[in-house]
Amino acid sequence: MLGASPYYTPDHEAFRDQLRRFVAKEIAPFADAWDEAGEFPRALYRKAADIGLLQLNFPEEHGGVPADRFYGIIVGQELARGGSGGVAASLMSHTIGCPPIARLGSGTLQQKVLPGVLKGEKIAALAITEPGGGSDVANLKTTARRDGDDYIVRGEKTFITSGMRADYYTVAVRTGGPGMAGVSLLLVERDTPGFTRTPLKKMGWWASDTATLHFDDCRVPAENLIGEENAGFRGIMLNFNDERLGLAASAIGFAQVAYEDALDYARLRETFGKPLIRHQVIRHKLVDMAQRIEASQAMLERIAWALDQGESPIAALCLLKNQATQTMAFCASEAVQIFGGAGFMRGARVERIYREVKVNAIGGGAEEIMKDLASRQLGW
């Protein structure tokens, strides 16, 4: 609506065009079938790596490509055009599973994990949330007790994206006393004895592989410690800024898809002898959707720019995540309303997006947590 954004260079736009073609060819035609199947082919990871999607913002020495955060925005919003949050979440689970390894892991650990993941040959996941803990990371219960050259891990994690078929899991464990000072990060490999997984059925993200992880006295080599012992909380916090920015970008992307599909449908559908869009109430709905998307996108890009300048606008990020997910919720609801009965039928992108609203509002910190964190950052 406002034309080109000043934040994007010709290189950004070339990457956007390439990714949009990839999504149109490799994801969108299959999104419905993959959703019904509850998974997508593992070969998609290699195809994504072939166009440079998986490598963004990882170290060059391990096969990565330096990138600013506007490339990440493009990724989130172009993948949204495939209409499946589940595909996007699992395909990109390494963007939360691997950064602690890239930033804090030993050279040996980085070389073990990163090249295969960035080539699309391996899958990485992050395992923080526990059945009784949610976002209360500082009080996690899963323990890792040092025993010679190993840690013995006991406990559970849940709601883990790529939980069933990941090859590498970055797992938050308690190695010390209570609170954040006793938390460490360990790399757990999928074939570790005593490590099992249970798939979960969900309201949305059906194509995403989501699981509960069970650690029954798993023996993990001490060399798989990511960073220093009892210093894992910092590694977890380093993830949050970009995770929340990515969730916001994706939510706004899905809001845009809902708006575009509703607009197209309103132009084609006739009611009471004229196109649906000729009814003032429908035009007002579309304008309300466009208004929220424009405001949210402006906020997203301003905060991405600040992060690229080295700032850490935590309060603004919390507000952004809520703004973006509320925009997605509004646009998804209005799009289904404009579609009417057709929006209630499986196979419509707006139906799937409507089902997936809540996971965006909960993941990365629920709306209530974002409000509380923002208010504390602002000194209230």
Side-chain angles (χ1 to χ4, degrees), residues 90-374:
S90 276
L91 183 62
M92 304 304 291
S93 63
H94 72 294
T95 62
I96 56 174
C98 285
I101 299 171
R103 292 170 176 166
L104 304 174
S106 67
T108 300
L109 207 57
Q110 291 176 3
Q111 187 57 38
K112 179 178 183 177
V113 174
L114 297 180
V117 171
L118 301 184
K119 291 177 184 175
E121 297 170 353
K122 301 288 185 179
I123 300 171
L126 180 69
I128 305 293
T129 303
E130 297 184 346
S135 297
D136 189 7
V137 179
N139 292 308
L140 60 86
K141 306 299 182 186
T142 298
T143 60
R145 176 175 56 84
R146 186 68 182 259
D147 182 33
D149 292 333
D150 298 324
Y151 286 98
I152 298 176
V153 182
R154 177 181 295 177
E156 286 187 324
K157 301 291 180 180
T158 196
F159 311 140
I160 307 306
T161 301
S162 294
M164 290 301 296
R165 61 180 181 178
D167 300 286
Y168 303 115
Y169 299 79
T170 297
V171 184
V173 294
R174 184 161 302 284
T175 50
M180 65 183 69
V183 174
S184 298
L185 291 172
L186 276 180
L187 177 75
V188 178
E189 298 175 63
R190 67 169 294 110
D191 295 328
T192 301
F195 177 36
T196 56
R197 299 160 292 281
T198 304
L200 298 172
K201 291 185 178 294
K202 311 172 296 296
M203 177 191 297
W205 279 14
W206 293 354
S208 173
D209 158 22
T210 309
T212 295
L213 315 182
H214 312 275
F215 304 94
D216 299 313
D217 292 333
C218 299
R219 192 168 284 273
V220 178
E223 64 190 24
N224 282 18
L225 182 68
I226 301 169
E228 298 179 6
E229 187 174 272
N230 297 327
F233 193 82
R234 174 175 172 267
I236 297 168
M237 293 301 105
L238 286 173
N239 250 10
F240 275 145
N241 280 355
D242 284 313
E243 182 181 3
R244 288 167 182 162
L245 188 79
L247 285 165
S250 179
I252 297 166
F254 281 111
Q256 180 71 27
V257 170
Y259 162 73
E260 290 177 5
D261 284 4
L263 178 60
D264 290 344
Y265 186 81
R267 285 170 169 161
L268 293 173
R269 170 72 164 156
E270 290 197 2
T271 61
F272 302 100
K274 60 183 177 181
L276 196 58
I277 200 167
R278 296 271 55 87
H279 296 279
Q280 185 184 62
V281 67
I282 299 300
R283 294 199 301 276
H284 285 189
K285 286 180 180 294
L286 291 164
V287 167
D288 285 342
M289 294 163 74
Q291 174 184 316
R292 285 165 170 78
I293 292 167
E294 288 288 348
S296 300
Q297 185 72 12
M299 189 176 184
L300 170 70
E301 292 175 353
R302 173 62 181 85
I303 292 173
W305 181 85
L307 287 165
D308 277 346
Q309 305 313 303
E311 299 177 29
S312 186
I314 295 173
L317 269 165
C318 294
L319 298 177
L320 168 65
K321 182 177 179 292
N322 283 357
Q323 170 72 18
T325 54
Q326 289 167 12
T327 295
M328 179 183 176
F330 179 85
C331 292
S333 179
E334 292 294 75
V336 170
Q337 192 71 19
I338 289 170
F339 267 68
F344 193 66
M345 297 296 103
R346 297 246 282 268
R349 286 197 299 186
V350 297
E351 180 270 338
R352 189 182 305 111
I353 292 169
Y354 186 80
R355 277 193 283 110
E356 296 181 349
V357 163
K358 275 300 176 185
V359 70
N360 286 274
I362 294 169
E367 185 172 307
E368 296 80 5
I369 294 171
M370 294 297 94
K371 289 179 180 179
D372 190 57
L373 180 55

